[in-house]
Amino acid sequence: PRYIWLSRHGESQYNLEGKIGGDADLSERGWKYARRLKDMAEKYIPNHGSLHVWTSTLTRTQQTASFLPYPKKTWKALDELDAGSCDGLTYEEIAERFPEDFKARDDNKFEYRYPGGESYRDVITRLEPIIMELENQENVLVITHQAVLRCIYAYFMNVHQEESPWMSIPLHTLIRLEIRAYDTLVTRIKADI
Ligand code: G3H
């Protein structure tokens, strides 16, 4: 069978503080996941000897991959949805400082574009080359961010792209997609940390 392996980065300092965007380091728990991910790859990825690991350019995905002894590739296109002028804020701060934006996003999360940043639709567009490349690869683990994984996941699950913003992609979970001729099977392997 052909598998695609997906994971969010481990919990970051910003995740702990409820802030979006930024380029924070992993939290202590996030580092624990990074170390555990090496054991999980050995245990669950049948041909892990030929695995390739893709990350974004951001620190938290590279730290999450840092214990994995496989060839790595960094893609700018895997960076998190750019929150523009809301980068580094909590959702409460956004609601307070940019109330109209907060409401606009609530009304249409797929199309809403942060000022100076991106929408989910924008992320899907920039992911096109990644998805084409993934279709051609045999054995890849993609370590990236929540919004990006929602888009990749929706694509392979054949879900309408407008539904991407609501896909559930938990932290500290290795997701296995089994790509079949007419559908995709999902297995979620939760890290015991
Ligand atoms: O900042 C990006 C978050 O990972 C995506 O969360 O689109 O639900 O706000 P959200």
Side-chain angles (χ1 to χ4, degrees):
R2 195 167 87 85
Y3 298 129
I4 294 173
W5 302 87
L6 306 175
S7 175
R8 288 176 68 181
H9 56 79
E11 179 188 77
S12 72
Q13 292 295 343
Y14 262 33
N15 288 149
L16 280 178
E17 295 162 27
K19 292 177 177 171
I20 65 167
D23 191 14
D25 289 317
L26 295 184
S27 68
E28 213 170 294
R29 206 168 134 72
W31 278 113
K32 209 167 175 190
Y33 176 65
R35 284 187 288 268
R36 187 55 54 87
L37 193 53
K38 176 177 186 285
D39 306 332
M40 291 168 81
E42 284 164 13
K43 182 166 176 192
Y44 296 107
I45 305 184
N47 42 351
H48 62 87
S50 67
L51 188 69
H52 284 69
V53 178
W54 294 358
T55 66
S56 74
T57 69
L58 298 166
T59 307
R60 56 196 185 276
T61 64
Q62 297 185 13
Q63 288 177 341
T64 303
S66 60
F67 300 99
L68 298 171
Y70 310 108
K72 287 169 201 157
K73 186 168 175 155
T74 299
W75 298 83
K76 177 89 181 139
L78 287 175
D79 284 359
E80 182 55 307
L81 186 148
D82 182 350
S85 38
C86 295
D87 188 82
L89 301 182
T90 65
Y91 291 109
E92 275 148 35
E93 289 167 336
I94 297 172
E96 215 169 89
R97 293 187 209 175
F98 303 96
E100 280 157 32
D101 282 87
F102 196 74
K103 186 178 179 310
R105 189 164 200 253
D106 201 41
D107 289 344
N108 192 344
K109 193 175 176 186
F110 181 68
E111 297 287 356
Y112 171 79
R113 179 183 284 148
Y114 282 106
E118 292 178 299
S119 65
Y120 271 87
R121 181 186 287 285
D122 294 332
V123 171
I124 287 176
T125 304
R126 76 155 139 98
L127 280 173
E128 268 168 30
I130 298 275
I131 285 177
M132 283 184 61
E133 192 63 27
L134 266 181
E135 297 265 29
N136 289 324
Q137 293 286 325
E138 276 306 314
N139 201 14
V140 180
L141 165 60
V142 185
I143 301 176
T144 173
H145 305 267
Q146 176 165 246
V148 172
L149 282 171
R150 283 172 167 161
C151 297
I152 294 175
Y153 184 86
Y155 173 85
F156 283 103
M157 296 308 289
N158 261 311
V159 170
H160 282 291
Q161 55 182 31
E162 286 78 5
E163 291 175 43
S164 308
W166 291 276
M167 299 289 111
S168 159
I169 312 284
L171 272 175
H172 304 160
T173 305
L174 178 62
I175 299 176
R176 186 184 80 180
L177 301 182
E178 181 178 345
I179 312 296
R180 307 196 302 182
Y182 299 103
D183 61 1
T184 302
L185 290 185
V186 188
T187 310
R188 289 166 187 242
I189 307 160
K190 214 175 141 26
D192 165 30
I193 54 167

